[in-house]
């Protein structure tokens, strides 16, 4: 019986020692002036080829011609998308103008609750990913 207790305590102790390095392996914060390479690049939709074009062996000259062809259309699409955003805002304001004050209050409460639910869901998802990552790292050692 003593042997079983000692073995169990030794197992728990070694488990604690194995888990300890996981807490110490947090990534070091980046210096204030340092940015990643992907953060420096700005996404430019005009400097992309349409879907599946990149898989058919375009030459660099063809790519440049496609970029030039897309540029004016991308600018027009951006203008139209801005108009859509404004139209949606106006539509929302007109719909809210129909509501009574108590309905507006209920709507605000529902919106706040939805924001809180999304935030808590994101947090839960991040924690689940962290636990999954920690489990994989512990299993790899």
């Amino acid at each position: 019986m003593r042997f079983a207790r000692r073995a169990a305590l030794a197992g728990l102790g070694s488990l604690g020692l194995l888990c300890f390095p996981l807490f110490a392996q947090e990534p070091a914060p980046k210096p204030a002036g340092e940015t990643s390479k992907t953060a420096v690049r700005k996404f430019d939709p005009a400097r992309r080829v349409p879907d599946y074009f990149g898989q058919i062996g375009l030459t660099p000259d063809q790519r440049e011609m496609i970029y030039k062809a897309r540029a004016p259309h991308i600018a027009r699409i951006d203008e139209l998308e801005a108009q859509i955003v404004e139209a949606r805002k106006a539509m929302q304001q007109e719909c809210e103008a129909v509501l009574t004050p108590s309905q507006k209050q209920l709507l605000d409460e529902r919106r706040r609750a939805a924001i809180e639910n999304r935030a808590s869901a994101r947090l839960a998802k991040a924690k689940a990913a962290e636990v999954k990552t920690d489990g994989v790292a512990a299993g790899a050692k």
Side-chain angles (χ1 to χ4, degrees):
M1 201 63 172
R2 285 185 188 172
F3 179 74
R5 265 192 258 166
R6 286 184 188 165
L9 287 174
L12 288 175
S14 64
L15 179 64
L17 290 174
L18 289 175
C19 292
F20 179 72
L22 293 178
F23 296 110
Q25 293 181 359
E26 294 183 18
K30 291 186 177 183
E34 187 177 321
T35 59
S36 68
K37 290 181 182 178
T38 56
V40 173
R41 290 186 199 159
K42 185 178 178 188
F43 175 73
D44 183 7
R47 297 290 299 177
R48 292 181 52 91
V49 295
D51 292 341
Y52 310 111
F53 276 57
Q55 300 171 2
I56 58 173
L58 295 175
T59 66
D61 290 337
Q62 287 175 314
R63 284 184 177 271
E64 287 302 320
M65 288 189 288
I66 289 172
Y67 297 154
K68 288 178 185 174
R70 286 176 55 93
H73 298 289
I74 296 295
R76 175 98 170 100
I77 289 169
D78 289 343
E79 292 172 12
L80 292 171
E81 285 176 345
Q83 290 177 8
I84 289 171
V85 167
E86 291 302 316
R88 285 191 173 142
K89 284 181 185 177
M91 178 180 62
Q92 191 70 22
Q93 289 173 347
E94 290 175 23
C95 290
E96 288 178 12
V98 175
L99 302 177
T100 65
S102 62
Q103 289 172 324
K104 287 180 184 180
Q105 184 179 1
L106 283 172
L107 182 63
D108 288 341
E109 290 173 7
R110 299 275 167 98
R111 286 177 175 162
R112 272 189 249 115
I115 290 169
E116 290 172 6
N117 287 342
R118 283 192 300 268
S120 64
R122 265 192 305 253
L123 182 62
K125 186 176 179 181
K127 284 185 179 180
E130 183 179 308
V131 167
K132 185 176 180 182
T133 304
D134 287 347
V136 170
K141 287 188 175 189

